[in-house]
Amino acid sequence: MDRVRELASKKAAVIFTKSSCCMCYSIKTLFYELGASPAIHELDQDPYGRDMERALRALGCDPSVPAVFIGGRFVGSSKDVISLHVDGSLKQMLKDAKAICMKKENPVPFPLSSSTCDHSPFTGSLAHVMALPKTAAAGAMHEV
């Protein structure tokens, strides 16, 4: 139990999984798509995996994997995580635990117009290249 608690508290988001579990894969994918990079502990590849699996069952995780911890707190298994995602609270939990950060919308510091590209080494437009036969177009592209 102590090892599970220790590992669960080392990172903002932690998932205990098994490499052959399709629901574990789905939960990991969900976290990645939400912008989180959880610590993943594959119980079937860890020498203490069986002990950790028993500890997870003692916490009430049945089945034992995936077992998700956010901010060091046990959140639940796949059905719990999916329910949180559906009601919109999973993302907020990840934000609160600093497992994901939301980037501020930064406006472009200058307008993107043709006038900002006067220093471009390319002159003219691509229209003259497109009008040339393929062999001439290839030569024209190399000249630029």
Side-chain angles (χ1 to χ4, degrees):
M1 184 75 80
D2 292 335
R3 183 164 176 78
V4 168
R5 290 184 200 272
E6 177 188 341
L7 292 172
S9 66
K10 284 190 174 185
K11 197 160 180 187
V14 178
I15 306 173
F16 292 90
T17 69
K18 287 186 179 178
S19 57
S20 61
C21 173
C22 63
M23 286 309 295
C24 295
Y25 176 81
S26 297
I27 296 300
K28 289 187 287 189
T29 302
L30 172 63
F31 272 60
Y32 295 137
E33 287 177 358
L34 290 173
S37 296
I40 306 295
H41 299 286
E42 301 277 355
L43 298 184
D44 55 343
Q45 297 177 5
D46 189 298
Y48 301 103
R50 288 186 185 214
D51 294 334
M52 289 191 289
E53 191 170 356
R54 279 192 286 277
L56 291 168
R57 285 189 195 275
L59 283 172
C61 198
D62 188 30
S64 60
V65 292
V68 176
F69 290 78
I70 298 175
R73 197 186 93 201
F74 178 61
V75 173
S77 63
S78 57
K79 71 175 182 155
D80 303 308
V81 172
I82 291 168
S83 293
L84 291 168
H85 179 58
V86 168
D87 76 13
S89 57
L90 177 62
K91 192 167 190 173
Q92 188 60 49
M93 289 174 74
L94 291 168
K95 286 181 197 176
D96 293 345
K98 305 219 182 324
I100 58 174
C101 60
M102 297 306 294
K103 295 178 183 175
K104 293 180 183 175
E105 295 287 330
N106 291 330
V108 177
F110 53 87
L112 295 177
S113 68
S114 60
S115 65
T116 61
C117 297
D118 290 340
H119 63 279
S120 173
F122 302 104
T123 56
S125 70
L126 287 179
H128 73 281
V129 173
M130 298 305 286
L132 296 173
K134 283 189 177 186
T135 55
M141 293 296 278
H142 290 292
E143 290 175 10
V144 176

